[in-house]
Amino acid sequence: MVSQYGFKFAIHLITNHFGKIVAVTISIILVPFSTNRSVTAPKSFFPLQKVCETLFRKGPLSLGEIIRSTELTPEQVKNSLLVLVQHNCVQAYVPADQFRGEDGSMATVEYLALFDNIIHRLRFPKFLEIAKHQLDDEVSELLHPAHCFFEASQFNPVKAYPQTDENPGAIEAVVRESFHKLLKAHYIERCPAPEPVVSTLIKAESAPRKRGSKMAKKFEAPETIEQRVLEAAVPGEAIRFAVTAYTLGNADREAKSDDSSMVNDGDNSGGIANEGSILWRANFEEFIRHLRHKLLVENERKRLDDGAATILSAILDVTKTVEKKVKIEKSAPLSLDSIFTEVTKTEHGRTMTIDRVRASLVQLGCPQRNFDDSYSIDLKSIVEMARNEEVESIVLKRFGSDAYRIFRLLSKSNCFLETDKIAESALVDKKETPRLLYKLWKDNYLYMEKLVVTAAKQSRFMLWKVNKPLLWEYVLDEMYHAALNLSLRLAFEQEKDEDLLHVPADKLVPADKSSEANALQKRYRRLRDVLFLMGSSLMKLDDALMLFHDF
């Protein structure tokens, strides 16, 4: 469940990238209303609160419902949906209970806002840097049409580079080579199905557990409608990254491909492709997986040493092809010989012995081998340690060192502790401990329970605990709030000194030393420093957002 400020931040990104009319459309699909002034549309576009609350309870909406709710013209809503679908911010689908088959009748198409894809727009510079670092500059340039100056995310490789009459064959060869590199690295994928048929009913348990079974079934949260829609829309692995269906410079053969049924060839409500073409888009999942692996490796490098980080990086590189999702709890099992072979292929692992590799595996949490003589790293515990360190740093900066020791004690114990026990173990004054505990509890960093013991004398005890799942949701919401405020301030600074962005470069470094020229240069330097500081802060804050939401 996405928090309130998460929705507001997503609407703010849509507003900055596409304008207010599209933002109003996305706000109707995402949230009932928003007090964010950057999302406020003209009065004729702002829907009634009661209608918005009803739409929020219903979830995905059809075209007619969006038109009635936003009070926009049908043409404006269609154009907005077209932009959002093309930029992977909205996915259209047909509910299975409303699908009528091929009898000529039209099925009702509903539109679902994709929150994660909207937030990924903030990370386009990181995605381009990954492609540039792992591959080369020409390959990263091929992703620019996909992002459309960090906005669009679907593209046709034929139009990626400008065609010239001087040497069209060389340009085509560059495009072909870059395209194959991106596809081999899974950084691009085929666009999803335009309107998949999705069952909106919650699947019932297929087979009940036998009575008296000693195996307790692990609780699994039911799939959300967004997860089911995305799963139905993504092409199968056989054609998702298949290069045989795409041939540069031959549109006729593309149109005759057996897989052309994946393309929307006649949808007037926001199709993602023209008839007879196969479109490709940036694969956000693979970029997020790369960033997650980077965090895991760097966290172990800081906690242990370079050797353990090198071994973990080698394991993740060889097992990433078998990962079915980003948030895997454990790495795929590998034998010690396979791990040693992969480690010796790296630059920092050439001099490692097999005993050194075995010792590092023990450091990484693999003291014993599995039953099949293989090793598997607990990645979930590494992510949890990184989250704990992030929250502990927030507590230290906000509440001080004494509160930090109290919070760290409760976080490590992972159980209820009484007030006097906390004061004694955390080495904090007993008179100061209740005040700090109440302050942490008031700001939602601790969970409290009152225990009344009735004996010869009635006693009341206060028990304290860190509820990590609830705390992480609260911290994530605060981070969305901070990202929203930082983005608003960044937009305000750009708008306030917008005239400086259009000043010629020779006037910013004038030959004369007049007071007017010095004042202009001083304003420009201030704007440059402010934009750099806020932009870098927003990117660092986004790293924390990914840690708590995507990893």
Side-chain angles (χ1 to χ4, degrees), residues 345-360:
K345 293 179 182 178
T346 62
E347 181 179 357
H348 299 286
R350 294 174 182 173
T351 58
M352 285 189 181
T353 63
I354 193 168
D355 292 334
R356 175 70 174 89
V357 173
R358 185 184 291 108
S360 295

Side-chain angles (χ1 to χ4, degrees), residues 15 52 91 99 154 170 260 295 342 364-365 393 506 509 515 542:
T15 306
C52 292
Q91 175 65 47
F99 182 67
Q154 296 175 351
S260 61
L295 177 135
E342 294 298 327
L364 290 170
S393 65
D506 56 344
V509 188
S515 59
D542 179 58

Side-chain angles (χ1 to χ4, degrees), residues 320-340:
K320 66 180 180 180
T321 56
V322 298
E323 295 180 5
K324 300 298 182 182
K325 58 182 180 179
V326 175
K327 297 181 182 180
I328 59 171
E329 297 184 358
K330 292 186 177 181
S331 63
L334 286 176
S335 64
L336 181 61
D337 293 337
S338 300
I339 296 174
F340 180 71

Side-chain angles (χ1 to χ4, degrees), residues 22 29 46 55 61 70 97-98 171 208 212 223 249 290 299 347 355 375 456:
V22 177
I29 304 176
F46 197 85
L55 292 173
L61 303 174
T70 58
D97 55 345
Q98 300 180 17
I171 295 178
E223 285 188 337
H290 175 87
N299 191 74
E347 181 179 357
D355 292 334
Y375 291 84

Side-chain angles (χ1 to χ4, degrees), residues 94 98-109 195 266-269:
V94 178
Q98 300 180 17
F99 182 67
R100 303 180 184 177
E102 301 179 355
D103 56 354
S105 59
M106 295 295 293
T108 302
V109 179
E195 295 174 3
D267 183 14
N268 295 326
S269 61

